[in-house]
Amino acid sequence: MFSRETISYKPIPLPDRADFSDEKVLAEAKAYYDRMKRRHTVRDFSDRPVAREVIEECVRTAGTAPSGANHQPWHFAAISNQDVKRQIREAAEDEERRFYEGGAGDEWLKALEPIGTNDHKPHLEDAPWLIVVFAQRWGYFDDGTRYKNYYVPESTGIACGFLLAALHHAGLVALTHTPNPMRFLNKVLDRPESEKPIMIIAVGHPSSEAKVPAVAKLKKPLHEILSVAG
Ligand code: IYR
């Protein structure tokens, strides 16, 4: 996408200016909070399918995220193929068994108790889609020479946030899953060594029996997460 010769600074007038009144700015901020506070991480998926086009649009949204030097150091691998999902589940469960059998250490396992997770990951097969997010540690100019990416974890993290918001906005539910280590994903999905898997996001509609841990409703109050130097 980048060629050495064509990268230069060329400012253009800000496109898509919102230009809301102060009242509308506040109303929109409230409406978005009201929408986002209804997002839950859900692990029980129904068998209702999700069209590939929906996933494509949500990944397009993720791709609008800001990134270091606008290098967009991410790749999203979307999987609906049942056999590939099964391979990912089996490899993830192997890693998770080690984690839950003690690899994580007592303190980490205790922290996870209220979340109710374990090494059983049926959602990796049940969800109609898995989206595996890769962070690109370096990229290539059109002429094949290598360039470095900057703020890769930050940029990819923001893109994941955009993706989760887009999925929620579309009425879908998602589960972020981070088996550790995750290198097996490069092999299963045939991704290059320059890419580091960051997370698996299982996506779909919730089953009629879907539950969330009660603690998930406990969000820190504003005064704990915000300080204002007014
Ligand atoms: N990767 C494991 C463990 C896990 C870790 C954290 I931190 C969580 O918030 C939830 C789970 C798993 O997915 O089960």
Side-chain angles (χ1 to χ4, degrees):
M1 173 176 155
F2 297 115
S3 70
R4 278 175 191 284
E5 298 74 34
T6 55
I7 294 180
S8 61
Y9 180 57
K10 178 171 165 272
I12 58 166
L14 172 64
D16 310 319
R17 203 178 271 276
D19 224 3
F20 294 162
S21 67
D22 290 350
E23 292 72 29
K24 183 152 166 77
V25 169
L26 181 58
E28 290 293 336
K30 287 185 181 212
Y32 196 64
Y33 167 57
D34 190 65
R35 186 136 200 171
M36 288 306 290
K37 76 180 184 196
R38 294 167 205 277
R39 186 205 59 80
H40 299 292
T41 298
V42 173
R43 65 185 58 247
D44 309 306
F45 293 90
S46 78
D47 54 14
R48 180 175 163 191
V50 172
R52 169 179 170 158
E53 202 182 353
V54 174
I55 301 301
E56 289 176 351
E57 291 309 317
C58 292
V59 170
R60 260 193 236 282
T61 296
T64 68
S67 63
N70 191 36
H71 281 192
Q72 304 157 54
W74 42 65
H75 179 84
F76 301 88
I79 304 110
S80 67
N81 179 287
Q82 211 53 43
D83 184 52
V84 179
K85 286 195 283 182
R86 186 186 44 76
Q87 287 178 50
I88 292 176
R89 175 188 177 174
E90 284 172 4
E93 285 185 336
D94 279 350
E95 299 298 353
E96 296 295 11
R97 256 189 298 280
R98 280 187 276 279
F99 177 92
Y100 285 98
E101 277 169 7
D106 288 347
E107 186 173 356
W108 197 346
L109 292 178
K110 192 100 197 119
L112 289 178
E113 250 177 53
I115 311 289
T117 54
N118 55 39
D119 61 2
H120 194 50
K121 305 293 181 194
H123 46 267
L124 294 177
E125 274 184 90
D126 299 345
W129 288 94
L130 303 180
I131 303 175
V132 180
V133 186
F134 290 88
Q136 295 175 330
R137 291 175 301 172
W138 63 85
Y140 293 93
F141 287 109
D142 292 348
D143 65 7
T145 52
R146 202 160 135 161
Y147 62 78
K148 192 172 150 27
N149 287 331
Y150 303 95
Y151 298 104
V152 172
E154 293 84 348
S155 304
T156 320
I158 298 169
C160 288
F162 274 36
L163 178 57
L164 293 171
L167 294 166
H168 171 62
H169 195 75
L172 300 172
V173 295
L175 177 84
T176 47
H177 177 64
T178 51
N180 183 11
M182 281 199 271
R183 271 286 164 190
F184 68 86
L185 290 164
N186 287 72
K187 214 168 155 180
V188 175
L189 299 169
D190 196 24
R191 298 308 306 170
E193 191 215 336
S194 55
E195 295 185 359
K196 182 176 189 283
I198 296 295
M199 68 177 76
I200 306 172
I201 304 176
V203 178
H205 291 279
S207 78
S208 54
E209 301 292 299
K211 302 224 177 353
V212 296
V215 290
K217 289 307 296 171
L218 298 177
K219 296 297 182 195
K220 290 183 180 176
L222 191 63
H223 69 86
E224 273 188 39
I225 64 169
L226 174 70
S227 59
V228 181

